[in-house]
């Protein structure tokens, strides 16, 4: 079992000055701790690209919370936001045939890939040093699978993937604390129509 938190710490100690990071953010609560932690070491642009979220009103609610968090939270360096396209048809295309798959299974892995690939592509186009995602902070997300996908995309797009398991070192606990401090909207389902159905 790879300790991805240790890998992250090793990468940070080897950094030669501040680097740029394209961070895929899934929601404000998950982004809170990750931004608090990583703005000490990186100049971060947060990419909000989550075509899985249903319905559109929920998508809007979540992106507005991300904007509010970035504007209100005293971070160690300013964070720029890229609001990605809302293209739910992309999510339905990759989940076709997997509508009945259990939460946390193959459908979710394809969803990880969809969002991480957009992050890798955006990072390559923008000349970023690294890319990663906040998704590993959730106890419901498979950090091993996320990091394996990130590693493959690094090879494909030529941008370093920042290995991480943000739930470690009380990261998830801290995200709950920060959600309370900033009164963040904490959703009761992952985001897609299937997770909403099964909640």
């Amino acid at each position: 079992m790879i300790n991805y938190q240790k890998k992250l710490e090793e990468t940070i100690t080897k950094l030669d000055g501040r680097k740029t990071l394209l961070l895929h953010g899934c929601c404000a609560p998950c982004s809170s701790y990750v931004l608090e932690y990583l703005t000490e070491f990186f100049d971060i642009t947060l990419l909000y690209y989550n075509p899985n979220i249903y319905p559109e009103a929920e998508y809007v609610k979540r992106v507005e919370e991300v904007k509010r968090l970035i504007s209100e939270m005293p971070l160690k360096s300013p964070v720029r936001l890229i609001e990605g396209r809302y293209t739910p048809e992309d999510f339905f295309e990759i989940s076709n045939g997997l509508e009945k798959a259990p939460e946390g299974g193959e459908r979710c892995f394809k969803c990880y890939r969809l969002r991480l690939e957009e992050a890798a592509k955006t990072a390559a186009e923008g000349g970023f040093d690294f890319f990663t995602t906040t998704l590993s902070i959730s106890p419901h997300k498979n950090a091993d699978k996320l990091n394996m996908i990130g590693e493959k995309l690094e090879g494909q797009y030529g941008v370093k993937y920042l290995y991480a398991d943000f739930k470690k070192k009380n990261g998830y606990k801290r995200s709950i604390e920060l959600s309370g401090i900033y009164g963040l909207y904490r959703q009761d389902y992952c985001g897609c129509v299937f997770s909403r159905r099964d909640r």
Side-chain angles (χ1 to χ4, degrees), residues 117-177:
E117 183 155 18
E118 184 73 8
K121 202 184 297 179
T122 305
E125 287 167 358
F128 285 82
D129 298 310
F130 290 90
F131 77 99
T132 196
T133 178
T134 61
L135 284 166
S136 71
I137 198 167
S138 169
H140 306 294
K141 300 289 183 288
N142 185 321
D144 289 329
K145 187 59 91 169
L146 284 163
N147 283 287
M148 283 191 284
I149 292 167
E151 184 174 31
K152 280 182 188 161
L153 291 168
E154 175 182 311
Q156 197 176 327
Y157 287 92
V159 182
K160 285 181 193 164
Y161 178 73
L162 189 68
Y163 295 93
D165 187 355
F166 293 116
K167 71 179 75 62
K168 297 291 170 76
K169 285 183 75 176
N170 288 319
Y172 179 65
K173 185 182 170 200
R174 179 61 179 155
S175 76
I176 293 170
E177 287 170 6

Side-chain angles (χ1 to χ4, degrees), residues 5-191:
Q5 174 61 32
K6 195 173 173 195
K7 281 193 85 155
L8 171 61
E9 288 167 5
E10 285 167 2
T11 301
I12 286 169
T13 58
K14 291 175 187 167
L15 290 176
D16 178 22
R18 288 183 75 80
K19 300 293 179 189
T20 55
L21 171 68
L22 192 286
L23 174 66
H24 165 262
C26 55
C27 64
C30 291
S31 300
S32 61
Y33 164 73
V34 179
L35 290 172
E36 180 183 67
Y37 179 24
L38 293 183
T39 49
E40 189 170 341
F41 312 103
F42 297 93
D43 291 328
I44 297 177
T45 296
L46 191 141
L47 171 68
Y48 187 84
Y49 171 73
N50 299 292
N52 56 308
I53 294 175
Y54 175 88
E56 189 171 358
E58 179 74 14
Y59 175 90
V60 171
K61 192 171 187 177
R62 293 190 194 192
V63 76
E64 289 305 318
E65 279 294 84
V66 167
K67 289 175 186 174
R68 185 170 71 81
L69 175 72
I70 290 170
S71 69
E72 291 181 10
M73 195 172 170
L75 297 163
K76 295 179 180 88
S77 63
V79 171
R80 195 167 72 90
L81 176 71
I82 297 174
E83 190 177 339
R85 303 159 295 120
Y86 181 55
T87 52
E89 60 276 10
D90 293 343
F91 171 72
F92 287 115
E93 187 181 324
I94 59 110
S95 58
N96 186 33
L98 296 166
E99 294 84 356
K100 292 185 177 158
E103 189 70 10
E106 193 57 39
R107 184 183 65 240
C108 293
F109 300 157
K110 283 181 176 268
C111 186
Y112 297 171
R113 166 98 199 189
L114 176 68
R115 293 185 278 171
L116 269 168
E117 183 155 18
E118 184 73 8
K121 202 184 297 179
T122 305
E125 287 167 358
F128 285 82
D129 298 310
F130 290 90
F131 77 99
T132 196
T133 178
T134 61
L135 284 166
S136 71
I137 198 167
S138 169
H140 306 294
K141 300 289 183 288
N142 185 321
D144 289 329
K145 187 59 91 169
L146 284 163
N147 283 287
M148 283 191 284
I149 292 167
E151 184 174 31
K152 280 182 188 161
L153 291 168
E154 175 182 311
Q156 197 176 327
Y157 287 92
V159 182
K160 285 181 193 164
Y161 178 73
L162 189 68
Y163 295 93
D165 187 355
F166 293 116
K167 71 179 75 62
K168 297 291 170 76
K169 285 183 75 176
N170 288 319
Y172 179 65
K173 185 182 170 200
R174 179 61 179 155
S175 76
I176 293 170
E177 287 170 6
L178 288 166
S179 295
I181 292 166
Y182 294 99
L184 297 176
Y185 164 61
R186 287 180 64 81
Q187 58 275 4
D188 63 357
Y189 66 105
C190 176

